[in-house]
Amino acid sequence: MADITRRLGWRHLRGAPTAHIRHHRGGKLLHDGPGLSFWFRALTASLSEVPVDDRELAMTFHARTSDFQDVAVQATVTYRISDPALAAARLDFSVDPDTGVWRGAPLEQLGTLLTETAQQHALDVLARTSLSAALVDGVAAVRERVAAGLGAEPRLPATGIEVVAVRVVALRPEPEVERALRTPAREQIQQEADRATYERRAVAVERERAIAENELASQIELARREEQLVEQRGTNARREAEEHAAADAVRAEAEAKRSVRLARAEAEGAREVGEARARAQAAWLQVHAEVDVATLHALTGTRLAENLPHIDSVTISPDVLTGLLARLGQAPE
């Protein structure tokens, strides 16, 4: 939309670089070009504003395939007005000199023209294609056919329109048909998922079995080693007992030999002592046998005196003294 400013009966127009302005007065073309800026009188001026930038036209329409299935086509056509003078002559691009707003709807007319032309070619190609083929290769086929049809349409160059690009965004069947078409794929995906789940479970079970087998093998190995350990401990205990028994036997034998030697030594000592005592007794007896009776009596008295207890005082009566003296007097006889 052109930017128009009012000044005392005059108007000033300032156009955008992407808008082609055509100014007529009295049937004469005074200004013609993009991005113009000029003064004019509203009562005598005739203004047209033609956009020359690239514009996107989104369109959605329904078509029917060769197997009588409805599909929805979503496409986008990029176009531009390559000949603004021709477009302004064929379509109403005139603007209000006071507001700068289009008096008509030229872009809607262009959109209708492009949509109907593209739809005609898309319907033609889809009517010869089955639904399955359309869903697989329909997007490329429709795009190529629409681009070729729009390029060969004579009304577009005659209106000053140039098609830049054609894009087919989507090609969808009816929701019920789409769900029906999705079912086999979903079933297959579900089967693949179930198969993957089963395989994962099988792998998990196999791994658990392997782990259980490893644990059992470890327990068996531990039990075997424990058995070996117990056997080795028994062997060690038996060997230790045998060694203790052997040591005790050696110790007992040594003790017995020592006792025998001690007993023999004691017996020999006792025998020698006895023999010595016997010899001493024999010698004593022999000595006493050779001594007279008085000497024996004296020795006896001496021995008796040696064995008597300590006597502090002795009282000898006259009778005893007389008897002793008498006996002493008789001793030499």
Side-chain angles (χ1 to χ4, degrees):
M1 184 179 68
D3 184 11
I4 297 179
T5 306
R6 299 181 182 183
R7 291 290 186 276
L8 300 175
W10 288 86
R11 306 287 187 272
H12 183 269
L13 182 145
R14 184 172 63 249
T18 58
H20 190 95
I21 306 297
R22 292 175 63 84
H23 176 208
H24 291 80
R25 186 178 63 189
K28 295 181 179 180
L29 181 62
L30 300 180
H31 298 90
D32 185 17
L36 298 180
S37 179
F38 55 87
W39 291 90
F40 65 93
R41 288 186 175 274
L43 296 178
T44 60
S46 176
L47 302 175
S48 297
E49 182 183 11
V50 181
V52 294
D53 56 338
D54 291 349
R55 292 186 171 266
E56 302 285 341
L57 176 63
M59 58 184 71
T60 301
F61 53 87
H62 292 271
R64 180 167 293 182
T65 61
S66 61
D67 49 0
F68 305 100
Q69 298 296 326
D70 291 336
V71 293
V73 180
Q74 296 178 2
T76 301
V77 175
T78 304
Y79 71 95
R80 63 170 171 261
I81 301 176
S82 59
D83 193 343
L86 185 58
R90 299 295 300 271
L91 299 174
D92 186 10
F93 283 95
S94 62
V95 298
D96 189 332
D98 293 326
T99 61
V101 179
W102 279 316
R103 289 193 172 97
L107 295 182
E108 293 182 3
Q109 296 177 2
L110 282 178
T112 301
L113 174 61
L114 291 172
T115 301
E116 291 179 352
T117 305
Q119 183 176 358
Q120 178 182 358
H121 295 287
L123 293 177
D124 182 55
V125 69
L126 289 175
R128 303 177 183 178
T129 307
S130 62
L131 178 61
S132 59
L135 294 178
V136 175
D137 300 324
V139 173
V142 170
R143 182 180 64 249
E144 293 176 359
R145 183 62 179 273
V146 170
L150 291 177
E153 180 64 31
R155 291 185 57 187
L156 298 180
T159 313
I161 307 300
E162 179 184 356
V163 176
V164 178
V166 176
R167 298 190 303 277
V168 177
V169 180
L171 197 153
R172 295 180 177 275
E174 293 294 325
E176 295 80 4
V177 177
E178 187 173 4
R179 283 194 294 270
L181 293 175
R182 287 178 179 178
T183 300
R186 287 182 177 178
E187 291 295 333
Q188 184 177 1
I189 293 173
Q190 187 64 37
Q191 291 177 2
E192 293 294 334
D194 294 341
R195 185 179 299 109
T197 302
Y198 296 150
E199 291 178 355
R200 185 168 60 254
R201 290 180 180 176
V203 171
V205 170
E206 183 65 23
R207 289 180 178 176
E208 290 179 357
R209 185 185 62 80
I211 292 173
E213 289 181 353
N214 291 334
E215 292 179 353
L216 182 59
S218 299
Q219 293 178 0
I220 294 174
E221 181 64 22
L222 289 176
R224 187 179 63 80
R225 293 186 179 182
E226 185 175 0
E227 182 181 1
Q228 293 179 354
L229 179 61
V230 171
E231 183 179 357
Q232 185 64 37
R233 285 179 177 175
T235 303
N236 295 338
R238 185 169 58 254
R239 184 179 299 172
E240 185 177 0
E242 291 176 355
E243 291 178 356
H244 284 308
D248 292 339
V250 172
R251 190 180 300 108
E253 183 179 359
E255 188 68 23
K257 290 181 180 180
R258 179 174 175 275
S259 300
V260 170
R261 287 197 300 271
L262 289 176
R264 289 179 180 177
E266 290 179 356
E268 184 68 23
R271 186 180 61 78
E272 292 180 357
V273 170
E275 292 178 353
R277 288 180 179 178
R279 287 195 299 270
Q281 189 68 25
W284 185 77
L285 292 175
Q286 186 177 0
V287 169
H288 284 74
E290 295 176 356
V291 177
D292 57 2
V293 177
T295 303
L296 292 175
H297 288 169
L299 291 174
T300 301
T302 303
R303 182 63 60 85
L304 180 62
E306 290 177 357
N307 294 325
L308 287 176
H310 180 70
I311 300 173
D312 293 333
S313 63
V314 177
T315 301
I316 301 174
S317 62
D319 296 334
V320 175
L321 182 58
T322 300
L324 289 174
L325 290 176
R327 294 183 66 180
L328 289 174
Q330 296 175 0
E333 293 179 359

